[in-house]
Amino acid sequence: LPELAGRARDLLAVAGRRRYEQGDVTTAVSLLTRARMSAISEADVPAGLLLDLGDALREAGRLDEAEVELRKAIAAAAATGNEVSEWRARSSLVRLLLQLPGHSIDEVRAPADRTLAELTRLGDAAGLASAWWVQGWLTWLECRAEETEHALATSIDWARRAGDTRLEAHGVNLYLGAALFGPMPVEQAVERCLEFRRRHHDRQRIVASSVRALAVLRAMQGQF
């Protein structure tokens, strides 16, 4: 029975992760929740599964539930001595705190910087993609678009190294937003959007981010 439960958990987790990467957040939450529930005990739930579920819940807007799962992911990783999983989960938690009411930028800055430092020490590409995204969002909230561009370019680079298309798409979304609303000349920002659309024509999330920014940029050029 334990072996069968573990196999069911792993298969559901893989399916949920794939749906999440494809942008189907609702199905991802359902599959990852079933994976979590198929474990015989809490000790049998891997930190990676809890992290994926927490991230999917966050993106689905179920923020309080996401916080519970991410804190459990941190505890599970710490209990097994898995530093990479622990700091990945901490990075996701920092990202979530930016969306929860009652947390100021100043409050979040210190844990964000600590997380980036630890993931840099560990050299974890996926974790660094997430940590640099958080840095970009912090500077974005402070209206520092040029610094946001730098942070997001770094995040995208790490996401590509990790082969994480979901993190890459999230980075591109904010990266193009910074080009649109920041000091970059309109013509240059248009070319950036066109380049991303050409290069990733088969990636729906990136195409959507590109054409959304491009619509406003074309209006700025008078091409309504």
Side-chain angles (χ1 to χ4, degrees), residues 82-88 115-125 128:
N82 189 332
E83 282 192 281
V84 169
S85 290
E86 180 182 351
W87 286 102
R88 280 188 187 182
T115 300
L116 177 60
E118 293 295 338
L119 286 164
T120 299
R121 174 179 64 82
L122 293 166
D124 177 56
L128 282 165

Side-chain angles (χ1 to χ4, degrees), residues 92-109:
S92 286
L93 180 62
V94 171
R95 183 171 180 168
L96 174 66
L97 293 178
L98 286 168
Q99 295 177 254
L100 288 171
H103 295 278
S104 68
I105 294 175
D106 290 339
E107 242 184 299
V108 176
R109 171 66 70 184

Side-chain angles (χ1 to χ4, degrees), residues 87-167:
W87 286 102
R88 280 188 187 182
R90 288 186 182 280
S91 180
S92 286
L93 180 62
V94 171
R95 183 171 180 168
L96 174 66
L97 293 178
L98 286 168
Q99 295 177 254
L100 288 171
H103 295 278
S104 68
I105 294 175
D106 290 339
E107 242 184 299
V108 176
R109 171 66 70 184
D113 289 347
R114 171 80 189 283
T115 300
L116 177 60
E118 293 295 338
L119 286 164
T120 299
R121 174 179 64 82
L122 293 166
D124 177 56
L128 282 165
S130 174
W132 275 107
W133 189 97
V134 170
Q135 293 292 324
W137 187 246
L138 284 169
T139 54
W140 179 249
L141 292 174
E142 294 171 331
C143 300
R144 292 151 51 194
E146 281 188 289
E147 291 176 58
T148 296
E149 283 189 63
H150 167 73
L152 267 296
T154 307
S155 173
I156 292 166
D157 180 54
W158 280 113
R160 286 174 179 163
R161 294 192 210 184
D164 194 318
T165 56
R166 179 179 57 84
L167 280 172

